Amino acid sequence: MTFSFHSKSFIYLTLVLMVLMASVNPGQAQRKNRKKEKSVDQISEEKRTELDHYFLEGEKYYILKDYGKAITYFERVIEIDESHATANFKIAQIYSENNEMMDALPFAQKAKELAPENKYYYLLLANIQTSTGELANAEETYSEMINRVPGTERHLFDLAALQIYQQKLDEAIETYNLAEEKLGPMEEIALQKQQVYLKQNKLDEAIEEGHKLIKINPEDESYVMTQARVLISNERLEEAETFLKTQTKENPQNETLFVMLSEVYRKQGKTSEALETLKVPFESTSVDLNAKIRTLAGYLGMLPDDNLNQPLIDLALTLVETHPDSYQALAMTGDLYYNLGQLSNARKFYLQTITIDRSNFNVWQNILNLDMELQDYNSVIEHTNTALEVFPNQASLYYYNGTAHLINKEYEEAIKTFNAGKIYAARDANLNSLFYGQLGDAYNSIGEHNKSDEAYEKALESKPDNDHVLNNYSYFLSLRKKDLEKAKSMSSKLVEDYPTNPTYLDTHAWVLYMMEDYEGAAHYLKEAVKYDASAVIIEHYGDALFQLGKTEEAVAQWKKARDLVEDTSTLDKKIADRQLYE
């Protein structure tokens, strides 16, 4: 009997031995052992009759599962003949079956000592020793049995399992070698030796055992697969390539081998060979879909690459053709196009994905992100409305929807959506702050400044460093010339945290400008121009210079700004009149 030893070995050994013991005919065992019990001949006929009676009564109550009475009768047997091995064995067996291992142990030891040629006594003792954690003693018991009792060589596997559990790996290999010597080449032996060698990081020996397994049972493809994985995972790529080339020729029906060969080529940098090899498994319906997807996913980080782009697209389209009802295949193809920067194609495949399975929220997020990147805000609204039918409690869907309405200047719809969704964002401080920040923008756009300010305040309560809110709130306050000190405090924090952000520098400068701190405004606008020489920032810089009385410099900046805009009427007037118009 063979098995792979692992953390449940105690349980396994117990079950094995219980099955073995259950297979013994008690009467037969008794008759065998009586031949060994010389003391029976030394007692009177009367005592012998009494002993037989007690033993049969013990067997009867054992069969009836009245273990207390059974033990009582077996103990009377031992009182008459203390060298009665079978009675000791039966008492040990009863205690063992009741999981009273410490009580069973001395009787099992005694039975084995009295009848050292009976394998069942060894097996029960080894089982009890294993159960009580006496693994070294159990190992010794197995060794003694195998050496003394003919026909017990199969239990070398149990001995090796104990040795592996105790991390005696060299001893386990010796035991398996002995088993191979006595039993001949066997799959179980080669498989167990391979596993032990891998634990020891003895790769050459493990590979050798792998070849043995394939030779012993060439029909079992799992051994071929395992051997390939061992070679690949240990970066024995040249060996793996040679091995897999041979195997794909001998087993062309095993398309998974082509996937593995492709992986080897990829690791070697032989990209063309890798992708060409993949055509076989990708055209097959029998190869595991997840294996194909994992293989494609391994290339995503390499994209875009002119040598990979089209071959990978071809493979992805083959994947979809081979698995037309698989949302995973469609989603993978969407991922591929996204990594190639082909956003419209990516969105097309993601949209096909949700026609098969609308329950994958990640795919919905991908679709919405692409809608936003493509600036297709009407699609954002359409897709979020559909997604909300499936995920009515997902705050992010309300956020996307409201933001699209806000960008489309559909302010009332935006406000309605943000107010509906904010209850689902309440437990997430960041998301809660985003909702109130957008509400602040929407209310400001329709001139409801009190509601706008209130929303901004709530946004900052949830996330005091929300830079979007700090920027917009301070800017809108400055435009209204309201709470300018508060606006300055917020914009100051922005430029402190983001000293190279031109938008934030411009906002802070504008707050200072409204506070008539023209020197400070000019300073920050000059900094902003370094990072973004846009028409708006340059014009603002000119305005600040004009307020400082630097008219020539102001006109020069206005001329720069004029060159960057289509509608030059206001700037033309400023330049012509050398006058500030606000």
Side-chain angles (χ1 to χ4, degrees):
M1 183 170 297
T2 63
F3 57 92
S4 297
F5 199 80
H6 48 75
S7 61
K8 295 183 179 178
S9 299
F10 288 169
I11 296 172
Y12 182 87
L13 288 172
T14 301
L15 291 173
V16 169
L17 291 175
M18 286 178 68
V19 170
L20 287 172
M21 298 315 304
S23 68
V24 179
N25 183 308
Q28 182 183 8
Q30 181 187 11
R31 288 193 296 272
K32 285 184 178 179
N33 286 305
R34 278 190 168 183
K35 294 178 182 179
K36 303 291 183 181
E37 295 165 15
K38 296 180 180 179
S39 62
V40 174
D41 296 330
Q42 298 170 0
I43 61 177
S44 66
E45 187 66 30
E46 180 183 349
K47 285 291 185 182
R48 184 180 300 140
T49 301
E50 186 180 355
L51 182 150
D52 288 343
H53 168 72
Y54 288 148
F55 188 86
L56 289 174
E57 286 296 296
E59 287 278 39
K60 180 182 75 174
Y61 284 111
Y62 174 76
I63 293 170
L64 294 172
K65 298 187 183 300
D66 190 342
Y67 297 132
K69 287 185 179 179
I71 287 176
T72 298
Y73 281 110
F74 288 132
E75 285 177 339
R76 289 181 181 178
V77 171
I78 294 172
E79 287 174 6
I80 296 171
D81 180 8
E82 63 181 14
S83 62
H84 198 290
T86 309
N88 279 279
F89 169 77
K90 296 301 293 186
I91 293 172
Q93 186 180 32
I94 291 170
Y95 279 130
S96 174
E97 289 176 5
N98 285 333
N99 203 30
E100 299 175 61
M101 298 300 181
M102 295 309 296
D103 291 328
L105 185 59
F107 291 98
Q109 288 173 325
K110 186 70 172 176
K112 188 267 292 183
E113 291 168 5
L114 291 170
E117 304 305 320
N118 190 316
K119 74 174 183 179
Y120 298 110
Y121 295 178
Y122 285 98
L123 293 174
L124 178 60
L125 176 59
N127 174 55
I128 293 168
Q129 289 169 328
T130 300
S131 298
T132 57
E134 299 178 23
L135 302 186
N137 290 337
E139 182 183 348
E140 186 177 336
T141 298
Y142 277 118
S143 296
E144 184 182 343
M145 177 187 70
I146 292 163
N147 289 329
R148 297 190 64 169
V149 183
T152 59
E153 293 84 1
R154 294 287 303 186
H155 292 285
L156 284 163
F157 294 103
D158 300 323
L159 174 59
L162 273 173
Q163 290 167 333
I164 292 172
Y165 190 83
Q166 298 175 86
Q167 295 299 311
K168 297 179 178 179
L169 302 183
D170 288 333
E171 290 89 334
I173 289 293
E174 291 177 10
T175 300
Y176 284 126
N177 286 337
L178 181 59
E180 192 169 33
E181 178 184 322
K182 290 182 176 294
L183 303 172
M186 297 175 65
E187 288 181 59
E188 296 95 327
I189 295 172
L191 183 61
Q192 294 292 347
K193 285 176 68 177
Q194 184 184 47
Q195 292 178 2
V196 173
Y197 281 133
L198 288 172
K199 283 178 179 286
Q200 293 179 301
N201 202 28
K202 293 182 177 180
L203 190 57
D204 289 334
E205 290 86 345
I207 292 170
E208 181 182 348
E209 294 301 324
H211 287 307
K212 278 188 192 177
L213 280 167
I214 296 168
K215 185 176 181 180
I216 292 170
N217 189 353
E219 301 302 317
D220 192 335
E221 293 183 348
S222 68
Y223 296 145
V224 174
M225 310 291 281
T226 298
Q227 186 77 335
R229 290 190 191 99
V230 168
L231 291 168
I232 294 170
S233 62
N234 288 280
E235 298 297 320
R236 301 283 279 264
L237 299 180
E238 290 185 10
E239 289 178 62
E241 180 184 346
T242 302
F243 174 74
L244 284 167
K245 277 183 175 179
T246 301
Q247 292 299 323
T248 52
K249 289 177 182 177
E250 294 179 358
N251 303 289
Q253 76 287 349
N254 188 340
E255 295 96 344
T256 304
L257 292 173
F258 289 87
V259 176
M260 301 177 84
L261 178 57
S262 171
E263 182 182 354
V264 171
Y265 283 137
R266 182 177 66 82
K267 284 176 171 281
Q268 292 176 308
K270 300 176 181 179
T271 307
S272 298
E273 292 93 328
L275 297 179
E276 185 66 26
T277 304
L278 285 176
K279 290 181 179 179
V280 173
F282 270 65
E283 291 171 355
S284 168
T285 57
S286 62
V287 176
D288 179 51
L289 172 63
N290 290 326
K292 297 180 186 180
I293 289 174
R294 285 195 301 271
T295 301
L296 270 184
Y299 288 93
L300 295 184
M302 304 179 187
L303 301 177
D305 183 313
D306 290 340
N307 295 321
L308 298 179
N309 297 350
Q310 193 57 49
L312 286 173
I313 288 174
D314 292 342
L315 285 174
L317 295 176
T318 300
L319 184 71
V320 172
E321 183 179 346
T322 309
H323 304 276
D325 298 325
S326 168
Y327 76 89
Q328 298 102 319
L330 290 164
M332 181 71 246
T333 306
D335 291 344
L336 176 61
Y337 275 116
Y338 182 79
N339 279 269
L340 289 173
Q342 298 184 29
L343 304 188
S344 295
N345 281 332
R347 184 170 64 169
K348 180 181 77 172
F349 279 96
Y350 288 140
L351 287 170
Q352 288 181 40
T353 302
I354 60 171
T355 64
I356 296 174
D357 181 6
R358 298 204 308 169
S359 66
N360 191 318
F361 187 68
N362 289 333
V363 174
W364 282 108
Q365 285 188 309
N366 290 345
I367 291 168
L368 295 171
N369 287 332
L370 286 168
D371 287 341
M372 295 296 286
E373 285 192 58
L374 293 166
Q375 299 182 6
D376 186 353
Y377 303 117
N378 289 331
S379 289
V380 173
I381 294 168
E382 177 189 347
H383 294 148
T384 49
N385 285 336
T386 305
L388 281 166
E389 295 174 6
V390 187
F391 305 100
N393 300 331
Q394 279 289 345
S396 61
L397 296 178
Y398 292 93
Y399 183 79
Y400 278 114
N401 185 283
T403 299
H405 280 302
L406 186 60
I407 294 171
N408 282 347
K409 299 183 179 180
E410 298 160 354
Y411 303 120
E412 296 292 348
E413 284 297 320
I415 290 168
K416 178 181 175 182
T417 302
F418 288 130
N419 278 322
K422 69 185 182 184
I423 60 174
Y424 303 112
R427 294 184 179 180
D428 185 323
N430 288 334
L431 197 54
N432 193 54
S433 183
L434 287 174
F435 267 85
Y436 277 109
Q438 296 293 70
L439 269 172
D441 291 349
Y443 280 126
N444 182 79
S445 296
I446 61 175
E448 294 195 27
H449 299 305
N450 289 337
K451 288 184 177 180
S452 175
D453 292 352
E454 182 181 348
Y456 285 141
E457 290 292 342
K458 287 183 178 179
L460 293 174
E461 283 176 19
S462 293
K463 192 172 187 292
D465 61 346
N466 185 328
D467 55 308
H468 171 83
V469 173
L470 290 171
N471 181 72
N472 287 11
Y473 192 13
S474 58
Y475 181 68
F476 293 143
L477 284 176
S478 70
L479 290 181
R480 289 152 47 202
K481 295 187 178 181
K482 178 185 175 184
D483 293 335
L484 291 177
E485 285 296 336
K486 181 180 183 66
K488 179 181 177 182
S489 175
M490 290 188 290
S491 62
S492 294
K493 178 173 176 55
L494 275 176
V495 295
E496 181 181 339
D497 293 341
Y498 304 93
T500 61
N501 186 301
T503 300
Y504 298 163
L505 289 165
D506 181 50
T507 295
H508 183 53
W510 194 249
V511 172
L512 296 176
Y513 186 92
M514 288 300 184
M515 298 178 76
E516 299 183 3
D517 179 1
Y518 302 122
E519 192 73 44
H523 167 75
Y524 283 102
L525 286 164
K526 185 177 181 180
E527 285 295 304
V529 170
K530 292 179 182 177
Y531 307 108
D532 180 14
S534 67
V536 172
I537 294 176
I538 293 172
E539 183 180 0
H540 285 172
Y541 183 34
D543 294 348
L545 291 171
F546 183 85
Q547 294 286 15
L548 291 170
K550 301 178 179 180
T551 306
E552 294 300 328
E553 294 180 45
V555 170
Q557 295 301 319
W558 291 337
K559 287 179 178 179
K560 288 181 183 178
R562 183 180 60 182
D563 293 338
L564 299 174
V565 297
E566 292 182 7
D567 182 3
T568 63
S569 56
T570 301
L571 284 165
D572 285 338
K573 188 173 178 59
K574 284 184 179 181
I575 294 166
D577 298 343
R578 302 170 66 84
Q579 182 60 47
L580 182 63
Y581 295 99
E582 295 181 338

